[in-house]
Amino acid sequence: METNKEFFEEAIRLWTEWNSGINVISRKDIDNVYEHHILHSLTIAQYRPFEAGEKVLDLGTGGGFPGIPLAMVSPQADFTLCDSIGKKITVARAVSDALGLKNVTCVNARAESLPQTYDWIVSRAVTSLDNFYPWVKGKFRKGILYLKGGDVNSEIADFCRKFSYDPAKVCAVPLSRWLSDEYFSEKFVIDIRK
């Protein structure tokens, strides 16, 4: 998972510039783009690196998180960044184009309207798991890697109960495994295997 520092610095510059016009990152958190958004996104690749040719859907990408940082460090995989809000996809597309990411496609759509299936679905705390799952059910071959904070155990239990999902196929891995900052202490990668 190697990407040069200048590549990340350019990404930060682009997000900061776009954010001044279209708010995709909280204005009070814009100074923490690298720590709170890029590093947060990259924990998915730390947990489970993507293989050559894998197709990944980032649902609810907003301005491109976690999809753009993941695409930056995983040029061998193909990423579709999807959001139902057009101005957010405008930012994600502009950033990925400016970075020259050939493995990224940005679409302004709702998940339900996407006809294809993907190896993996990734997302960053778009909604609760029991709301999220119906949007992507039948759209993944391998699993879902979902960044989430808070009381994830009760949320996972509710999800498994509601959809009769085997709890043995779901786990929550603390981000503190890779990131020591207190900001990440209650955050997890939730891995839902098919």
Side-chain angles (χ1 to χ4, degrees):
M1 204 175 76
E2 270 195 46
T3 301
N4 68 44
K5 186 179 176 190
E6 292 78 24
F7 202 25
F8 283 124
E9 287 172 352
E10 178 63 6
I12 292 165
R13 186 191 69 73
L14 290 163
W15 272 307
T16 303
E17 185 178 293
W18 272 97
N19 206 62
S20 64
I22 299 174
N23 192 21
V24 292
I25 297 168
S26 165
R27 298 229 196 282
K28 64 180 188 249
D29 202 33
I30 194 66
D31 293 335
N32 298 308
V33 174
Y34 184 72
E35 294 82 7
H36 294 177
H37 301 278
I38 294 174
L39 285 181
H40 188 210
S41 298
L42 291 177
T43 56
I44 290 175
Q46 287 286 342
Y47 172 68
R48 200 239 165 251
F50 296 107
E51 297 171 12
E54 285 189 320
K55 299 197 178 315
V56 182
L57 172 64
D58 173 7
L59 186 60
T61 192
F65 298 104
I68 289 176
L70 291 172
M72 290 170 76
V73 300
S74 307
Q76 73 284 0
D78 294 311
F79 293 82
T80 298
L81 279 54
C82 178
D83 204 287
S84 62
I85 300 172
K87 66 182 181 179
K88 291 182 178 183
I89 278 297
T90 297
V91 174
R93 185 177 292 118
V95 171
S96 86
D97 287 351
L99 292 172
L101 296 174
K102 304 293 184 213
N103 60 336
V104 171
T105 302
C106 297
V107 293
N108 178 205
R110 298 188 63 77
E112 303 88 333
S113 70
L114 298 175
Q116 61 269 53
T117 57
Y118 302 85
D119 294 300
W120 297 96
I121 308 286
V122 298
S123 196
R124 212 172 151 229
V126 171
T127 186
S128 64
L129 287 174
D130 62 345
N131 285 334
F132 185 80
Y133 185 71
W135 301 343
V136 298
K137 186 178 179 186
K139 294 195 179 295
F140 61 93
R141 291 181 282 275
K142 296 182 180 179
I144 299 169
L145 300 170
Y146 199 74
L147 292 170
K148 192 86 163 103
D151 184 9
V152 296
N153 291 328
S154 66
E155 188 169 326
I156 289 169
D158 290 346
F159 159 74
C160 290
R161 191 170 35 257
K162 183 173 182 177
F163 296 101
S164 300
Y165 214 89
D166 181 356
K169 293 183 175 182
V170 184
C171 69
V173 181
L175 301 191
S176 59
R177 190 167 160 185
W178 305 281
L179 301 169
S180 58
D181 189 292
E182 183 66 25
Y183 176 80
F184 299 103
S185 64
E186 296 295 316
K187 292 181 171 35
F188 302 84
V189 174
I190 300 174
D191 182 345
I192 302 171
R193 293 299 167 111
K194 184 137 189 181

